[in-house]
């Protein structure tokens, strides 16, 4: 298998490439399986609520009301993000199981996951901006 040989020969580069590829797939799934306009609207509401919270620091009743609204937005955001997670969960679990087996034979050993996480976070930030994903 050519891919496996490349992964063993160049473990750091291959972890970064794999992380970018997985993040790209997950970002595309998120973009097309969620209501992007509603998610952007909810994030806007949350930002407005955060500003209101700062403005009403001395008023506990108003703060409780604002926090209730923020919680409702958070719950709806979580509901929207659940669908892409369900779609990608099993393939990602299988992928990680396979990758772990490959990288235990390399110089990275058990530290490959840290390279993957850092590359995934950076890739996610870049791809979400580039693909305009909420």
């Amino acid at each position: 298998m050519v891919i496996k040989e490349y992964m063993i020969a160049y473990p750091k580069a291959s972890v970064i490439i794999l992380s970018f590829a997985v993040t790209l797939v997950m970002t595309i799934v998120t973009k097309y399986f969620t209501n992007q306009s509603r998610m952007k609207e909810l994030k806007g509401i949350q930002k407005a609520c955060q500003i209101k919270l700062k403005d009403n620091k001395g008023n506990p009743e108003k703060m409780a009301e604002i926090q209730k609204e923020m919680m409702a937005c958070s719950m709806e955001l979580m509901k929207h993000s659940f669908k892409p997670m369900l779609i990608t969960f099993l393939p990602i679990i299988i992928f990680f199981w396979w990758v772990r087996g490959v990288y235990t034979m390399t110089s990275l050993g058990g530290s490959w996951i840290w390279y993957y996480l850092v590359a995934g976070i950076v890739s996610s930030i870049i791809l979400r901006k580039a693909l305009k994903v909420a």
Side-chain angles (χ1 to χ4, degrees), residues 3 8 16 42 46 76 79 114 116-117:
I3 295 172
I8 293 169
I16 293 168
L42 288 168
Q46 281 188 325
E76 189 174 343
K79 184 180 85 173
W114 298 108
Y116 180 89
L117 289 173

Side-chain angles (χ1 to χ4, degrees), residues 1-36:
M1 196 181 230
V2 177
I3 295 172
K4 190 174 180 179
E5 291 170 10
Y6 177 81
M7 289 169 66
I8 293 169
Y10 306 101
K12 289 179 184 174
S14 64
V15 166
I16 293 168
I17 291 168
L18 285 174
S19 178
F20 182 84
V22 168
T23 304
L24 176 64
V25 169
M26 291 180 73
T27 304
I28 290 170
V29 168
T30 299
K31 180 173 179 137
Y32 291 106
F33 284 92
T34 58
N35 183 345
Q36 289 295 299

Side-chain angles (χ1 to χ4, degrees), residues 5-88:
E5 291 170 10
Y6 177 81
M7 289 169 66
I8 293 169
Y10 306 101
K12 289 179 184 174
S14 64
V15 166
I16 293 168
I17 291 168
L18 285 174
S19 178
F20 182 84
V22 168
T23 304
L24 176 64
V25 169
M26 291 180 73
T27 304
I28 290 170
V29 168
T30 299
K31 180 173 179 137
Y32 291 106
F33 284 92
T34 58
N35 183 345
Q36 289 295 299
S37 59
R38 180 65 180 151
M39 289 184 75
K40 287 177 184 175
E41 180 184 329
L42 288 168
K43 286 184 180 186
I45 292 169
Q46 281 188 325
K47 282 184 182 180
C49 286
Q50 288 172 346
I51 293 169
K52 287 181 195 175
L53 278 175
K54 287 180 184 177
D55 293 342
N56 292 294
K57 276 201 171 167
N59 188 346
E61 292 139 12
K62 186 72 173 170
M63 285 181 71
E65 183 182 313
I66 296 167
Q67 286 174 336
K68 185 177 176 184
E69 183 181 355
M70 280 183 74
M71 184 60 83
C73 285
S74 295
M75 294 303 283
E76 189 174 343
L77 269 171
M78 190 169 66
K79 184 180 85 173
H80 282 288
S81 63
F82 211 67
K83 188 175 184 179
M85 187 183 74
L86 287 174
I87 293 168
T88 59

